[in-house]
Amino acid sequence: MVRYRGYSEGKSFMTVVYHFVPRNLTGNVLYPLNQLKEKYPDLYDAHAKKYEGRKFLLKTPVPILDCLWNDVLHFSPIHPGRIRDAMVKIGRKWRPTQWYEVDTQKLNFTDENTVFYFSGDTLKDRHFEVFERERLETMRDIPEKTLEYYQQSLAEGKPPLMFAHVPHTLHKGQINLEQVKIIQVD
């Protein structure tokens, strides 16, 4: 495991995306929510709780991949150290967290099994685009809209959703974690 207080971006930075390491992971495979429901119903219930108040997302279609929101794994192209820095800057406490650093090239993310998701101000503003590995480099900064949302959440006394308005990389399939590096962001 690699520890990051600050963050550095090495040669493979262009191809990696990040996923929070679940506390209650069973086995060495990361499954989309619908597959988790079949394999580990108790874990599904725990992970589905994060959609309280947003259950409509579970029925949201993911065009291009012809599946649902909970049939894909969700990754961020933004290094979690940058997210930590933004949270700390607005006064949110950060506790050390572990993240999977997934090499999209090594694990065969393609335009047939992966898309980019961009959220907007309304549900109608959401859009999906075909995955192109080269574009990851253009998505490494936290969007201004996310920083504004973090500030607004703080002002309202609400915990912010960490990935609000952040581009997502959605991957249809499971990930064998034996091939994935874990980093810790202190």
Side-chain angles (χ1 to χ4, degrees), residues 80-175:
R82 290 183 178 194
I83 293 170
R84 180 221 34 230
D85 292 351
M87 291 286 199
V88 169
K89 185 176 180 179
I90 65 158
R92 296 286 304 168
K93 288 186 179 180
W94 180 271
R95 60 182 169 74
T97 54
Q98 292 186 333
W99 299 77
Y100 294 120
E101 186 175 78
V102 176
D103 187 322
T104 62
Q105 188 166 351
K106 182 177 174 183
L107 292 177
N108 201 30
F109 282 40
T110 69
D111 59 357
E112 294 176 2
N113 63 20
T114 308
V115 297
F116 292 122
Y117 165 74
F118 302 91
S119 64
D121 292 329
T122 71
L123 289 178
K124 293 178 184 177
D125 291 338
R126 296 177 302 169
H127 68 280
F128 300 83
E129 295 179 13
V130 172
F131 175 76
E132 295 175 37
R133 191 169 287 106
E134 313 75 52
R135 289 194 57 211
L136 285 171
E137 189 62 27
T138 67
M139 300 178 200
R140 299 302 184 185
D141 293 322
I142 297 178
E144 190 61 38
K145 189 147 191 87
T146 300
L147 298 173
E148 291 168 6
Y149 164 78
Y150 287 171
Q151 290 283 9
Q152 180 182 352
S153 296
L154 180 66
E156 294 172 1
K158 298 178 183 175
L161 297 171
M162 195 177 305
F163 300 106
H165 307 290
V166 168
H168 288 52
T169 305
L170 306 179
H171 178 71
K172 186 177 180 181
Q174 42 190 265
I175 299 292

